[in-house]
Amino acid sequence: MKKHTLVVTSMMALLLSVASPLTNTQASAYAAGQTPAVNPEMKTLAQLDKHVVEAAKQSMLKQAGGVLIELDEITGETTDCWVIRAKNNRGEVLVTKQEGKVVSVRVKLKFDEVAADLQNTATSTLKEMDNQHAFTIDWVERINWEKENVWLFKGQNVSVSIDAAAGKVNTATLHYTNQQMNPKVVNTAQKALKSLSNGKASALLPDVTLLKKSQERLDQVWDFMDTERKYRIVIGAKTGKVVAATMFSEFSDGNYTADEDIPQVFAKPFFTKEAAIAAANPMMKKVFNLDLTGYNVSSKYNVYTFTKKGKPTVTASINHKGVFYDFAVTPENGLIN
């Protein structure tokens, strides 16, 4: 697909701002390399090629599951594309000027406008995660572009992302305050935070996320961060054990390596098997109460995988200085909970 220009970035950023709470790198990746639009004069819908407008209308209709979405005005353009907004803030579509090819579309819907099977998938997932509280879904977005094809259900303190092609849940989140949490879980997070930061971390944020993320095999976990957002502690909702931890300062600023540079920077393994265990084991013992002695080690670029029969698998990443900053512990059944 051709690269599009900066005018489109605001639209894509909006689409991606509702994605997984753990990362939003797609928006910045999409924005990179954009160039300003050439023509400052905005056209009206009536001035566009009818085939282009019809393509935009049909795309909105299809993505909305047959719900009629009326186009309103052109809100931006690039060298190749028009950005067209729907009436009543019901979405946007990005369509090429010449071919009328839809590049991306976002449609906003009411919960009862969405197919019953999708409604059931969203509500049953939330109920499975927490059957003690009632959660309301206020609105739904249908998002489709090159890197994302989802139904997104949103409400106060709740979100569910469903893969539009497979009909399965990608990510689900529920948000709580620490006061609503089991004190034992909060205490576990505080102790892990202290160990991870060598006593330097600030207190935990006053809120926490209950997360399900299929692509990362996160079945159901509590996601904590410190108030300065330098550290992350993840605790299994079912096991009550620390299952992941991240030191953000160790891969930011001077420690950061861009994804595209990783193969070159880590072309040769940084550690031998013995050295990798020696480097990772102190943190594993302190934070996870897990000893890597006797584990096998494999690596791909900056990611090291530690395995041992009958034991959980540990995946850990290093920065270019060889400091392990990101850890995840996966049980033998493959589900982190």
Side-chain angles (χ1 to χ4, degrees):
M1 186 182 83
K2 295 181 180 179
K3 286 189 176 181
H4 299 293
T5 51
L6 189 59
V7 165
V8 187
T9 304
S10 62
M11 177 182 178
M12 298 317 307
L14 178 60
L15 299 187
L16 293 166
S17 65
V18 290
S20 166
L22 302 184
T23 182
N24 195 19
T25 57
Q26 291 169 308
S28 57
Y30 187 90
Q34 306 299 306
T35 54
V38 178
N39 188 0
E41 212 174 297
M42 203 65 66
K43 291 182 178 289
T44 65
L45 285 178
Q47 294 175 307
L48 295 190
D49 186 301
K50 292 182 180 180
H51 296 292
V52 172
V53 176
E54 185 62 22
K57 285 181 179 179
Q58 290 302 317
S59 177
M60 296 286 270
L61 182 66
K62 179 181 178 181
Q63 300 303 325
V67 177
L68 183 62
I69 305 295
E70 190 175 353
L71 299 181
D72 187 20
E73 62 178 342
I74 299 171
T75 56
E77 67 174 295
T78 74
T79 304
D80 304 317
C81 299
W82 300 111
V83 181
I84 305 174
R85 184 174 61 190
K87 286 186 176 180
N88 302 317
N89 193 32
R90 299 210 68 177
E92 289 176 307
V93 58
L94 178 65
V95 59
T96 59
K97 295 177 178 179
Q98 298 300 321
E99 303 91 348
K101 179 182 177 181
V102 174
V103 176
S104 64
V105 61
R106 177 182 66 89
V107 182
K108 189 173 181 178
L109 301 164
K110 299 176 183 177
F111 181 72
D112 59 10
E113 290 178 323
V114 178
D117 59 335
L118 290 169
Q119 293 181 26
N120 292 335
T121 297
T123 55
S124 63
T125 297
L126 296 175
K127 188 174 182 180
E128 178 187 336
M129 294 173 70
D130 184 346
N131 60 10
Q132 301 298 314
H133 299 86
F135 297 94
T136 302
I137 295 173
D138 299 317
W139 48 272
V140 183
E141 278 193 325
R142 176 70 175 93
I143 301 171
N144 192 359
W145 67 297
E146 183 185 26
K147 296 185 179 180
E148 190 174 26
N149 183 20
V150 300
W151 290 93
L152 184 67
F153 294 76
K154 292 284 289 184
Q156 186 175 11
N157 299 322
V158 58
S159 70
V160 181
S161 173
I162 299 176
D163 185 294
K168 296 182 179 181
V169 173
N170 287 331
T171 306
T173 61
L174 294 170
H175 302 284
Y176 303 81
T177 64
N178 284 346
Q179 286 72 25
Q180 295 173 304
M181 289 288 300
N182 182 334
K184 185 177 179 180
V185 177
V186 176
N187 186 52
T188 298
Q190 289 174 330
K191 287 183 177 179
L193 176 64
K194 185 176 181 180
S195 296
L196 184 68
S197 66
N198 292 318
K200 299 176 183 177
S202 55
L204 293 170
L205 281 171
D207 50 25
V208 61
T209 300
L210 180 60
L211 172 66
K212 179 183 183 72
K213 194 169 186 180
S214 302
Q215 294 171 335
E216 296 182 13
R217 294 185 293 183
L218 298 176
D219 178 43
Q220 200 165 308
V221 299
W222 294 108
D223 193 357
F224 291 87
M225 288 190 70
D226 70 303
T227 55
E228 295 181 359
R229 300 181 185 276
K230 292 182 178 180
Y231 302 92
R232 175 188 176 218
I233 300 293
V234 181
I235 297 175
K238 297 178 182 178
T239 63
K241 296 180 179 180
V242 179
V243 294
T246 305
M247 297 183 289
F248 293 106
S249 60
E250 294 296 346
F251 71 95
S252 61
D253 301 326
N255 295 321
Y256 176 73
T257 302
D259 288 347
E260 60 269 22
D261 296 330
I262 285 177
Q264 180 178 354
V265 173
F266 299 96
K268 294 182 179 179
F270 193 96
F271 291 119
T272 63
K273 171 186 174 180
E274 293 76 13
I277 291 175
N281 220 9
M283 194 64 74
M284 292 305 302
K285 289 179 178 179
K286 283 198 307 179
V287 178
F288 298 90
N289 194 29
L290 185 63
D291 188 351
L292 296 179
T293 301
Y295 268 69
N296 293 313
V297 183
S298 62
S299 65
K300 182 177 181 180
Y301 303 135
N302 65 323
V303 180
Y304 285 75
T305 302
F306 303 83
T307 57
K308 186 177 182 180
K309 187 174 181 180
K311 296 291 184 178
T313 293
V314 175
T315 306
S317 301
I318 60 172
N319 63 19
H320 61 81
K321 297 178 182 177
V323 176
F324 281 100
Y325 66 84
D326 189 58
F327 306 83
V329 178
T330 306
E332 283 190 293
N333 65 7
L335 294 177
I336 301 175
N337 55 25

